[in-house]
Amino acid sequence: MSYVRIVPGVPYVNESEIWFIFCYNTSYMDVRTNIPLKNFTTMKLGGNARFMTDVFSKEDVRQLHLNAQKQNLPVFTLGGGSNTIVKDEGFNGIVMRMRIPGFEVESDDIFGTTIKVGAGENWDDVVKKTVEMGLSGIEAMSGIPGTVGAAPVQNIGAYGQEIADKLIFVNVYDHQAGFVVTKTNQQCKFSYRDSIFRGEAKGLYTIVDVTLRLHKSNPEPPFYSTLQTYLDEHQISHYTPQVIRDAVLAIREDKLPDPAKLPNAGSFFKNTIIDEWQLNELLKEYDDTPHYEMGDKRYKIPTGWLIEQTGKKGQLINGIRVHDKNCLVLINESASSYSDLDAARSEIIGAVRDKFRIAIEQEPLEL
Ligand code: EPU
């Protein structure tokens, strides 16, 4: 016998249809329908999900995909919703909220510790735990909102660290094959805020757990410049994972709006990577352009700086505020729809294009 439990009080589309789609073994899978996705994303915009359900195990993920495939219904995996933008038409499929738990020490030696973490864990809770264990490697990524499973998708990074540096492998549910396979760090093809999971393999896999290798030694300089400045200002010279975590949390609190209070999706744009010849052209006209060498004659230009030069810093465009402490962040102050955001975004992208002839790119994924 199989069951699906319709959550009481939530309107649903067609109960028999839901019964047919979501059922397996003797477990319950709560399915909710017509769910406003703005309540599940930190940008607080967009339409409804036709169906939404939580998954707590690899088997839940498998059963949900098998049943959805039979029905030809698309599935979208949602973590904390801090890097997802929802369109006004919503999603005519199943939003699968990733809730798989787990934090296991896989191996431990004098140099470091390997941990396996469930995709549904909160990223910052995991950072906190590893820092409390005295481990280093992800402490500078403290305070990043979202789930562990979402972290490799856009190769999260902050203050000089990125998850690609510490990730050994991920286990993913392969939608086509119907079972879990392992993707090594190399197979994930990480680069700046990018991986196969948002590129060539978009929609093919669901990350179910992440394995990281962390160190027992203290973090060592050189640190990212804003972090170093903070440490100097506070006369901190003994660097432990906890000291770096505390410093990063303080810097973030000052510079980045808390999504719980002011709806936003962190950096709304990626920093801009250009070739050496493009940089030289830019410097001819704007000789103060900040730039960081990335190797291979490629340079990173802070997109926040580009936007700031257009005069948009702090401006309110269609209810969307360009954050006055970092133009990379867009705050949904009073926008009521995705189209408001779309218009604001076009205006900002257009202003940068007109001034610098550079096409800036959005960071959050769109559903
Ligand atoms: N800058 C400006 N004006 C701005 C913003 C930045 O001039 O409005 C310039 C400054 O020159 C500053 C430089 O940009 O020195 C770098 O700024 P910052 O250190 O604040 O970082 P960011 O490049 O704006 C990136 C990440 C953040 C991460 C910080 C710190 C991206 C897209 N963003 O921002 O990540 O926290 O570095 O490491 O790579 C996120 O992805 O959601 C996120 C917040």
Side-chain angles (χ1 to χ4, degrees):
M1 185 60 181
S2 321
Y3 301 95
V4 61
R5 194 162 58 188
I6 310 298
V7 179
V10 179
Y12 54 86
V13 184
N14 176 339
E15 188 167 350
S16 60
E17 180 189 38
I18 302 168
W19 265 95
F20 185 56
I21 299 164
F22 298 93
C23 48
Y24 80 95
N25 303 331
T26 52
S27 316
Y28 281 116
M29 194 177 267
D30 286 341
V31 175
R32 287 169 287 167
T33 59
N34 293 330
I35 296 296
L37 285 166
K38 65 176 173 215
N39 297 343
F40 292 87
T41 53
T42 61
M43 203 71 196
K44 303 242 167 290
L45 280 180
N48 291 1
R50 183 169 167 202
F51 300 113
M52 182 186 272
T53 191
D54 290 355
V55 290
F56 295 93
S57 67
K58 293 176 203 171
E59 186 55 17
D60 280 356
V61 174
R62 194 174 82 92
Q63 291 295 341
L64 188 138
H65 276 89
L66 293 178
N67 286 301
Q69 268 164 11
K70 276 187 217 148
Q71 290 292 299
N72 245 338
L73 274 174
V75 179
F76 180 85
T77 308
L78 190 65
S82 51
N83 211 50
T84 303
I85 306 294
V86 182
K87 295 203 173 120
D88 291 335
E89 60 264 36
F91 185 61
N92 187 15
I94 308 160
V95 170
M96 178 178 79
R97 277 219 308 159
M98 178 50 69
R99 304 285 299 277
I100 298 178
F103 184 101
E104 282 158 42
V105 172
E106 294 285 292
S107 71
D108 188 50
D109 55 51
I110 53 165
F111 302 110
T113 304
T114 305
I115 55 163
K116 180 187 271 187
V117 194
E121 293 287 343
N122 174 275
W123 171 258
D124 192 53
D125 289 348
V126 170
V127 178
K128 184 166 183 274
K129 214 161 172 171
T130 62
V131 165
E132 282 166 1
M133 289 163 77
L135 298 171
S136 68
I138 54 175
E139 64 284 351
M141 289 185 275
S142 290
I144 297 182
T147 52
V148 167
V153 175
Q154 83 261 23
N155 183 18
I156 58 165
Y159 304 100
Q161 292 180 344
E162 57 180 23
I163 194 173
D165 300 333
K166 296 292 165 267
L167 184 144
I168 310 295
F169 64 85
V170 290
N171 282 321
V172 298
Y173 174 75
D174 181 328
H175 301 176
Q176 241 115 52
F179 48 78
V180 171
V181 297
T182 299
K183 295 280 171 201
T184 62
N185 180 304
Q186 213 181 5
Q187 288 173 320
C188 296
K189 296 190 187 167
F190 291 118
S191 60
Y192 168 67
R193 290 294 193 278
D194 204 13
S195 75
I196 54 165
F197 305 113
R198 55 178 286 163
E200 66 192 65
K202 191 174 173 195
L204 299 184
Y205 305 109
T206 300
I207 296 172
V208 292
D209 57 58
V210 175
T211 296
L212 304 170
R213 172 77 180 169
L214 303 174
H215 316 294
K216 288 191 174 159
S217 50
N218 276 334
E220 277 176 31
F223 295 116
Y224 188 84
S225 63
T226 32
L227 178 55
Q228 188 63 61
T229 307
Y230 179 93
L231 296 170
D232 293 344
E233 277 170 11
H234 291 78
Q235 291 165 1
I236 297 167
S237 55
H238 178 57
Y239 311 122
T240 64
Q242 189 65 57
V243 159
I244 300 298
R245 172 172 169 81
D246 293 344
V248 165
L249 289 176
I251 300 169
R252 289 184 71 97
E253 200 184 327
D254 183 47
K255 273 198 159 182
L256 297 168
D258 178 358
K261 293 178 195 142
L262 295 169
N264 76 88
S267 297
F268 192 84
F269 298 101
K270 293 184 185 188
N271 280 322
T272 302
I273 316 280
I274 57 174
D275 291 326
E276 191 173 39
W277 69 266
Q278 289 172 296
L279 176 68
N280 290 336
E281 288 298 306
L282 199 59
L283 288 172
K284 271 186 214 162
E285 230 174 320
Y286 305 98
D287 59 3
D288 56 343
T289 307
H291 53 279
Y292 309 99
E293 194 170 353
M294 301 195 67
D296 281 342
K297 296 191 173 183
R298 308 268 287 159
Y299 291 83
K300 192 191 275 182
I301 313 288
T303 300
W305 181 86
L306 295 172
I307 297 170
E308 196 173 332
Q309 303 313 300
T310 68
K312 299 255 175 248
K313 188 174 188 164
Q315 275 193 13
L316 186 67
I317 313 166
N318 285 39
I320 299 290
R321 176 83 67 190
V322 180
H323 187 38
D324 60 0
K325 289 189 181 160
N326 188 337
C327 300
L328 269 197
V329 179
L330 301 187
I331 298 167
N332 174 13
E333 214 167 274
S334 52
S336 54
S337 65
Y338 171 87
S339 42
D340 286 341
L341 173 68
D342 193 26
R345 169 177 58 192
S346 301
E347 193 175 316
I348 296 163
I349 292 175
V352 173
R353 192 189 46 233
D354 293 348
K355 188 170 174 72
F356 296 104
R357 295 182 301 282
I358 285 177
I360 60 173
E361 265 180 58
Q362 181 172 318
E363 201 211 311
L365 295 167
E366 292 206 358
L367 189 159

